[in-house]
Amino acid sequence: MVGQASNLRQDDHNHAQEMAAMAIIEHDLPCSFFEFEGWRQVQQYVNPDSGPITTKAVMSFIGKFYVSQKENLKQIMSKSPSRICLTFDHWTAIDTEQYVCLTAHFVDENWKLNSKILSFHKMVPPYSEFELAKRVHKCLKAWGIDKKLFSITLDSASMNDNMKDALKERLILHNSLICNGDLFHIRCCADILNTIVQESLELISTALQKIRESIRYVKKSKVRKIDFKHCVEQVGGIDTSMDLRLDDYTGWRSTYAMMEIGIRYRHAFFGLALNDSNYKCCPSNEEWKRVVEICNLLEPFEAIANWMSRTSPPTLNMYFMKMSKIELLLEENVMNVDPMIQDMARRMKEKFGKYWGDYSVIFALGTIFDPRLKFELTKYCYSLLDPETCHEKVETIKNKFYFVYSQYKDFGSSSSCHDIEFKSSLGVSMSMLTVLNQPTVSARNEESFTEVSGDNNDFKGRDGASVGKSELDYYLEEAILDPHSFQELDVLDYWKTNRIRFPHLSRMACDILSIRFTTVANESVFSIGSRFLEKYRSTFLSPKDQVLICLRNWLYGFKHNEEEIDDDINIISDDEEDWMMHLPNQGD
């Protein structure tokens, strides 16, 4: 009996150590947390007979757990019906240490989009592009996905250009890329948008500094806060739901938030300037006017940046409309009555045009895979920008779409991960096809569609093996789904449901919709615990911390600070709803 009791106590103690390890992973606790004297006192008070939880024992469990979870993730990726899309980013800390993060984005066997960190570690010399490509390729081989890649998303760092070329050559050598790698490199959308926005902020740098000083002046003492509150009350009609805030100099989005809130209180600042002779930094009427114009110009930039930085960003199908909205707004401001705004918009448009010219087709491919949009959204967006070139641009996209589809047909069963999934595409009864053709609405899907008029759609099944027409022909001929009925359609679930009717096309949809147009998700690695990397990335990461970062991501995904996330935000704004209302039904 004594022996049994001893074994029970040992089992309980082992379980407690495992629980401690899981708490460290989930909550970013120091690995030595359970050896802290304060914790030991609590532990002894609750259970005097409990043995101590040691750092060595906890780290031993974490190490074994890391190995098992890594093997589990490898199995999940091997069973994925999609190719793997990568994002890669690197940083240089204040102490000159460099870190790299490689993340895989893929659709799992349940047809849900995943983002998992494959590697997060400190770089070691040499830092050449060739060596970096070699290490990335070695990492991909270790994960067993070197022949299953689709794209890699990089920022504009000069090292990345040569690195992706060297990596691409290695992959092409094994003939493992679709379209011979034409779709392999994706430049980070957030990176180019940030560059464009900085152009506009330079125009109002003086006004911005005055706004900062004004907010700092008010917040500096309780007496000034009271005086400013009186000014707000005297003006009346000011939305006070948000308090004044300063930007943190770490990104333009905090500056945008400062401007947006400051504009609300601009008349109160005028009142303060009249009542307080010590307040000398109030922006002029002309400066406020220009700040308002810049804020309006940056609104779609803020919307898409907020959208991309969410814990679970939407799939690629709605990016085209967001980016087209930016292009249209820049086009309008090229004709602004203010010469300075006009000149700034022209420069912004030029930079945006270079990026959009390279990647608009890929954005459009994602849109076509949304059965509520297909080609109708691209036609509408292009017609708004330039009706004369609309047809030519749409034809270019259509030709590209058919070409990429032909590559998937040629690849056929070359990707073994798809063989079982799609072998049964022939010989299926028409009644089964009719059932499979019904779209599925997912309550988890965060996309919200506006109500638009249109005829009900016929979901009659078709035989994809009919002579003379391809899967793609049949898909495009079917009427677009009525957004009235499918506001929360899970696009990936639609392709899962229709994978037997459209075996090649659904595989292509998996890959295209998995593309990440931003490396923003990698940024959240630096938000999962200040003990890993502090706000300005100056803390050294040990291999132990790097293991914890990977485990945290594998178990809980990317988690941002609470104030940075708004999971209820709609991806369709009010003016975008107006756009959607003008889309014709393909069956009309």
Side-chain angles (χ1 to χ4, degrees), residues 30 209 217 237 266 279 308 328 354 412 442 482 498 502 518 554:
Q209 188 57 34
Y217 181 83
R266 62 185 182 276
Y279 174 46
M308 289 187 295
L328 185 62
K354 291 179 180 178
S442 170
D482 179 13
N498 286 273
F502 304 129
T518 174
W554 297 348

Side-chain angles (χ1 to χ4, degrees), residues 21-22 25 59-71 547 551 554-555:
M22 296 305 295
I25 295 169
M59 289 310 303
S60 176
F61 172 80
I62 288 176
K64 295 175 183 176
F65 188 59
Y66 172 82
V67 172
S68 66
Q69 289 300 304
K70 181 176 181 179
E71 186 60 33
V547 165
L551 279 174
W554 297 348
L555 296 176

Side-chain angles (χ1 to χ4, degrees), residues 26-165:
E26 181 175 3
H27 302 294
D28 302 325
L29 299 174
C31 294
S32 59
F33 174 83
F34 294 97
E35 292 186 356
F36 289 177
E37 183 60 31
W39 169 255
R40 289 284 173 85
Q41 291 176 3
V42 172
Q43 186 181 23
Q44 285 296 306
Y45 178 78
V46 174
N47 185 2
D49 296 329
S50 63
I53 297 175
T54 64
T55 301
K56 182 178 180 180
V58 168
M59 289 310 303
S60 176
F61 172 80
I62 288 176
K64 295 175 183 176
F65 188 59
Y66 172 82
V67 172
S68 66
Q69 289 300 304
K70 181 176 181 179
E71 186 60 33
N72 182 53
L73 181 55
K74 288 175 69 173
Q75 291 298 318
I76 291 173
M77 288 194 293
S78 70
K79 296 176 182 178
S80 166
S82 77
R83 286 174 171 263
I84 308 296
C85 295
L86 303 173
T87 52
F88 178 83
D89 215 342
H90 60 84
W91 299 268
T92 302
I94 292 175
D95 60 2
T96 71
E97 296 289 354
Q98 297 191 45
Y99 299 90
V100 293
C101 180
L102 184 67
T103 306
H105 310 270
F106 60 94
V107 176
D108 63 25
E109 60 182 336
N110 296 316
W111 291 67
K112 301 300 180 185
L113 187 60
N114 289 258
S115 296
K116 303 296 183 183
I117 294 175
L118 301 182
S119 177
F120 184 85
H121 63 273
K122 185 183 75 168
M123 291 178 62
V124 294
Y127 297 134
S128 71
E129 295 88 342
F130 176 81
E131 285 297 323
L132 189 55
K134 183 178 177 182
R135 291 166 189 165
V136 170
H137 190 250
K138 182 179 179 180
C139 176
L140 298 175
K141 290 184 70 174
W143 281 96
I145 60 173
D146 55 307
K147 296 182 180 179
K148 197 181 176 182
L149 296 182
F150 186 77
S151 69
I152 185 168
T153 303
L154 305 162
D155 65 21
S156 58
S158 57
M159 178 183 289
N160 286 339
D161 284 337
N162 294 327
M163 186 275 287
K164 59 93 176 172
D165 288 338

Side-chain angles (χ1 to χ4, degrees), residues 143-380:
W143 281 96
I145 60 173
D146 55 307
K147 296 182 180 179
K148 197 181 176 182
L149 296 182
F150 186 77
S151 69
I152 185 168
T153 303
L154 305 162
D155 65 21
S156 58
S158 57
M159 178 183 289
N160 286 339
D161 284 337
N162 294 327
M163 186 275 287
K164 59 93 176 172
D165 288 338
L167 178 60
K168 183 177 176 180
E169 287 178 4
R170 288 175 175 269
L171 298 172
I172 290 178
L173 186 64
H174 296 91
N175 194 32
S176 60
L177 292 177
I178 289 289
C179 299
N180 202 36
D182 287 348
L183 303 176
F184 180 62
H185 175 226
I186 307 294
R187 185 177 174 188
C188 177
C189 178
D191 187 49
I192 188 62
L193 293 183
N194 178 69
T195 302
I196 294 171
V197 168
Q198 295 301 332
E199 186 87 41
S200 66
L201 295 181
E202 290 177 6
L203 179 65
I204 54 172
S205 58
T206 301
L208 279 179
Q209 188 57 34
K210 288 184 178 181
I211 293 174
R212 287 191 191 97
E213 292 303 320
S214 295
I215 295 173
R216 190 175 288 114
Y217 181 83
V218 169
K219 295 171 75 72
K220 199 169 185 179
S221 74
K222 291 184 178 180
V223 173
R224 292 173 187 167
K225 289 180 181 178
I226 294 172
D227 290 343
F228 188 73
K229 183 178 180 180
H230 289 158
C231 292
V232 171
E233 292 171 349
Q234 289 174 359
V235 171
I238 296 178
D239 180 3
T240 59
S241 59
M242 298 185 71
D243 293 330
L244 294 173
R245 59 183 289 185
L246 286 168
D247 56 346
D248 57 17
Y249 295 95
T250 61
W252 68 266
R253 293 182 63 200
S254 68
T255 303
Y256 175 85
M258 179 187 73
M259 288 193 300
E260 189 178 36
I261 297 171
I263 289 170
R264 299 183 186 185
Y265 291 93
R266 62 185 182 276
H267 295 298
F269 281 117
F270 285 136
L272 184 64
L274 293 174
N275 297 322
D276 186 347
S277 60
N278 293 320
Y279 174 46
K280 306 288 187 181
C281 52
C282 183
S284 66
N285 268 317
E286 187 63 29
E287 287 173 324
W288 276 118
K289 179 182 177 183
R290 188 158 286 160
V291 169
V292 169
E293 288 183 323
I294 295 298
C295 215
N296 291 335
L297 182 63
L298 296 185
E299 183 181 358
F301 289 86
E302 162 62 14
I304 195 171
N306 188 39
W307 189 45
M308 289 187 295
S309 65
R310 301 167 74 187
T311 306
S312 301
T315 46
L316 187 62
N317 47 300
M318 288 306 300
Y319 274 77
F320 188 87
M321 182 163 62
K322 296 283 184 182
M323 298 295 282
S324 292
K325 182 181 176 184
I326 290 176
E327 184 180 21
L328 185 62
L329 194 60
L330 292 175
E331 185 71 35
E332 291 172 351
N333 276 275
V334 168
M335 306 302 294
N336 195 291
V337 293
D338 186 332
M340 293 186 68
I341 297 289
Q342 185 182 118
D343 182 60
M344 178 209 65
R346 187 178 294 109
R347 295 198 303 269
M348 292 173 69
K349 181 187 174 186
E350 182 180 353
K351 291 183 178 180
F352 180 84
K354 291 179 180 178
Y355 178 83
W356 194 229
D358 290 336
Y359 297 107
S360 60
V361 172
I362 303 178
F363 278 96
L365 295 185
T367 301
I368 298 165
F369 280 112
D370 190 325
R372 300 162 295 187
L373 301 175
K374 298 187 181 178
F375 276 101
E376 301 310 309
L377 180 63
T378 54
K379 290 177 183 176
Y380 181 70

